[in-house]
Amino acid sequence: MDYQRTRRREPRRQAGVKLNYRMALCAAVAVSLLLAVLFLVLLLGQRGKSKTLDAQLKELTAQAQTLEGEKAQLQQTLDGLYASAIAALPDPTTANTQSLPDLIPQLTESIYIVRLSGGSYQYLKIPAGILTDRLLAFRDAEGYTASAETAAAEWDLWVLYADRVIGMQTGGGDYGFVSTDRTAAGTAYTLPGGFNNFVTSLIA
């Protein structure tokens, strides 16, 4: 009888093993399906984000192109205003003195450009407006660096501000001197880029 009881119990153990195997297999399949769904959701989300970013990039690119076009138009308009203002300037006046130190104190009502031409000093009063604004911007700009060169160059072009004199040489590049006590000589400096060309264009 013991032998028969033992044989009856064996099929139950095998059925339990089969049942556990099926449950594990079903669980593995369920986990795989869940992971597949999560991966699909993440993939669709990433594709949606990618499309959104692409759309934003295209929009920003279009805006940048529009701004570049507007900037170019504004620069053309500004260049035209400068050209008109320069064309409206009067001819320089010849000074009644051959001494620049004597001439400088006489010119205090505005910003003046002074040049040495043919042995005589000529000066030009710059009217208030975009030209004086540009000259003031050059005065206050970065780019002034004390130069190792000496201040013994033959200066022939000066900008007279209310608080200083900046001297340079026509066609000599952005190099000159700065006098903060408004005299005809001062410390040598490199000047902001384009300063010399702009001043020259006013009294050419």
Side-chain angles (χ1 to χ4, degrees):
M1 292 186 66
D2 293 338
Y3 175 73
Q4 290 178 351
R5 290 177 181 175
T6 302
R7 291 188 63 183
R8 289 175 184 173
R9 290 173 184 172
E10 287 179 355
R12 293 178 183 175
R13 293 196 192 101
Q14 292 176 358
V17 171
K18 289 181 180 179
L19 182 60
N20 291 336
Y21 174 76
R22 288 175 180 174
M23 290 179 64
L25 181 62
C26 290
V29 171
V31 170
S32 298
L33 288 174
L34 179 61
L35 291 175
V37 170
L38 290 175
F39 178 77
L40 181 61
V41 170
L42 290 174
L43 180 62
L44 292 175
Q46 290 298 325
R47 289 184 63 184
K49 290 181 180 179
S50 178
K51 290 181 179 179
T52 301
L53 290 174
D54 287 341
Q56 291 177 348
L57 180 60
K58 290 180 180 178
E59 183 179 355
L60 290 173
T61 301
Q63 291 178 355
Q65 292 175 346
T66 301
L67 289 174
E68 284 295 328
E70 292 177 352
K71 179 181 176 182
Q73 290 179 353
L74 288 173
Q75 188 60 52
Q76 290 179 353
T77 301
L78 187 59
D79 290 343
L81 291 174
Y82 280 131
S84 297
I86 292 172
L89 289 173
D91 293 333
T93 301
T94 300
N96 56 8
T97 177
Q98 297 299 312
S99 171
L100 184 62
D102 291 339
L103 177 62
I104 290 174
Q106 300 177 28
L107 306 177
T108 58
E109 298 176 357
S110 180
I111 297 176
Y112 287 84
I113 306 296
V114 177
R115 71 177 176 186
L116 180 62
S117 178
S120 299
Y121 290 104
Q122 297 178 329
Y123 61 89
L124 176 64
K125 180 180 179 180
I126 307 300
I130 61 170
L131 298 182
T132 53
D133 290 344
R134 184 73 181 278
L135 289 170
L136 290 171
F138 275 121
R139 182 197 65 179
D140 300 331
E142 296 181 355
Y144 289 91
T145 306
S147 175
E149 299 182 44
T150 64
E154 294 295 331
W155 313 120
D156 61 358
L157 194 60
W158 299 265
V159 185
L160 277 54
Y161 295 97
D163 61 345
R164 72 193 66 185
V165 172
I166 298 177
M168 58 191 74
Q169 189 173 19
T170 303
D174 293 311
Y175 167 71
F177 77 84
V178 178
S179 169
T180 54
D181 55 2
R182 214 169 184 269
T183 58
T187 304
Y189 278 90
T190 56
L191 306 178
F195 193 8
N196 188 302
N197 288 338
F198 184 73
V199 173
T200 301
S201 70
L202 300 180
I203 199 168

